[in-house]
Amino acid sequence: MKKVDIRALTAWLDATLQAARFKDYAPNGLQVEGKAEVGHIITGVTASEALLRAAIDRGADAVLVHHGWFWRNEDPRVLGPRRRRLALALAHDLNLIGYHLPLDAHPTLGNNAQLARVLGLEPARDAEGAPLTCGRDGLIWLGTAPGVATLGGLAAQIGQRLGRQPLWVGEPDAPVGRIAWCTGGAQGMMAEAVDAGATVYLTGEASEPNTHLARETGVGFISAGHHATERYGVQALGAAVAAQFGIKVEFVDIDNPV
């Protein structure tokens, strides 16, 4: 089996995702050191105990995720579920590699780019061809939904393509014009999308204020699921790793209704 040095792998990932330019909520890159050489990677959305066990069962050397560990402001003590996860990784010499905001933002491999592909959204682009974005670190993408005329139609298409019915607020027959989207837990960024001229804002999660902002601005709001909207970036990244290094990469989808 072909293998790559873990330092070479993470250096390539850091450079590809431009990890150093982000001030994130958790460390990006190698979070737990395991085997020095990697020939088999399991990718997934979150470094849960279930994903770690799937990696162990498949004989993997590393786990590559969007949601890793050691988040800012969380209890730093190694207790309960945290202890069990860490014990599994250490006992089986698993490398844990995580990329949060860098994986959201990447122009081709990222969650926003890949969600657009899955949903049939067309990103707007600037004069250089880069995605037109707004908000912190350019995390909100702007574009259109070709062939979709109404908010209700867009919600139905999202449900069909993600296999999960979204929660949405707005008039079913409201026309779809400029769409803004940011995967995951970006419900708090809706006002920035409104300011950018969006007629629909799509994200993963919802909070109570989103309903009022949608009603008072006339901007449709769609919450399509945190997990459901962030399954695709890590798959694209895993495929890029496999192509770059010739090693085995598998995606494991741990079901999550949120």
Side-chain angles (χ1 to χ4, degrees):
M1 177 189 293
K2 188 171 183 179
K3 294 190 176 185
V4 59
D5 182 270
I6 185 63
R7 300 296 173 181
L9 171 62
T10 53
W12 182 86
L13 286 165
D14 286 347
T16 298
L17 297 176
Q18 296 184 308
R21 81 177 181 89
F22 294 88
K23 185 177 180 181
D24 214 333
Y25 307 100
N28 288 301
L30 185 62
Q31 296 185 342
V32 177
E33 185 177 6
K35 296 173 184 174
E37 292 187 319
V38 174
H40 184 187
I41 299 175
I42 293 298
T43 66
V45 177
T46 299
S48 63
E49 181 178 338
L51 186 68
L52 294 179
R53 291 193 181 280
I56 292 163
D57 289 345
R58 288 164 171 78
D61 307 307
V63 173
L64 172 61
V65 295
H66 178 48
H67 299 140
W69 297 345
F70 313 117
W71 296 90
R72 185 194 308 161
N73 297 328
E74 71 178 3
D75 187 344
R77 294 176 298 171
V78 182
L79 305 173
R82 171 181 277 197
R83 178 190 179 280
R84 290 194 296 273
R85 293 177 183 180
L86 186 57
L88 279 173
L90 295 175
H92 295 273
D93 218 11
L94 274 177
N95 292 281
L96 174 63
I97 310 164
Y99 291 94
H100 185 230
L101 295 183
L103 187 56
D104 288 322
H106 193 275
T108 58
L109 302 175
N111 284 319
N112 284 331
Q114 292 297 313
L115 184 65
R117 177 187 61 81
V118 171
L119 298 184
L121 305 180
E122 182 63 38
R125 299 192 180 275
D126 63 20
E128 285 74 41
L132 191 62
T133 65
C134 67
R136 175 193 165 192
D137 290 322
L139 290 172
I140 301 173
W141 283 37
L142 302 167
T144 58
V148 181
T150 66
L151 178 62
L154 178 61
Q157 179 167 297
I158 290 170
Q160 187 272 324
R161 296 195 179 186
L162 296 186
R164 178 192 189 281
Q165 292 305 308
L167 180 155
W168 55 285
V169 180
E171 294 298 325
D173 296 330
V176 173
R178 167 175 272 195
I179 301 174
W181 67 94
C182 185
T183 64
Q187 66 272 32
M189 300 167 70
M190 183 178 177
E192 293 165 83
V194 172
D195 290 343
T199 58
V200 178
Y201 181 56
L202 164 64
T203 188
E205 296 191 24
S207 293
E208 194 268 352
N210 293 119
T211 296
H212 304 296
L213 188 57
R215 289 172 178 169
E216 292 169 14
T217 62
V219 173
F221 174 75
I222 302 177
S223 166
H226 195 138
H227 179 87
T229 59
E230 296 199 324
R231 288 179 297 198
Y232 306 103
V234 75
Q235 293 183 62
L237 183 61
V241 168
Q244 176 70 21
F245 295 103
I247 61 176
K248 183 177 181 180
V249 182
E250 296 179 86
F251 174 71
V252 175
D253 193 14
I254 303 299
D255 181 61
N256 188 334
V258 175

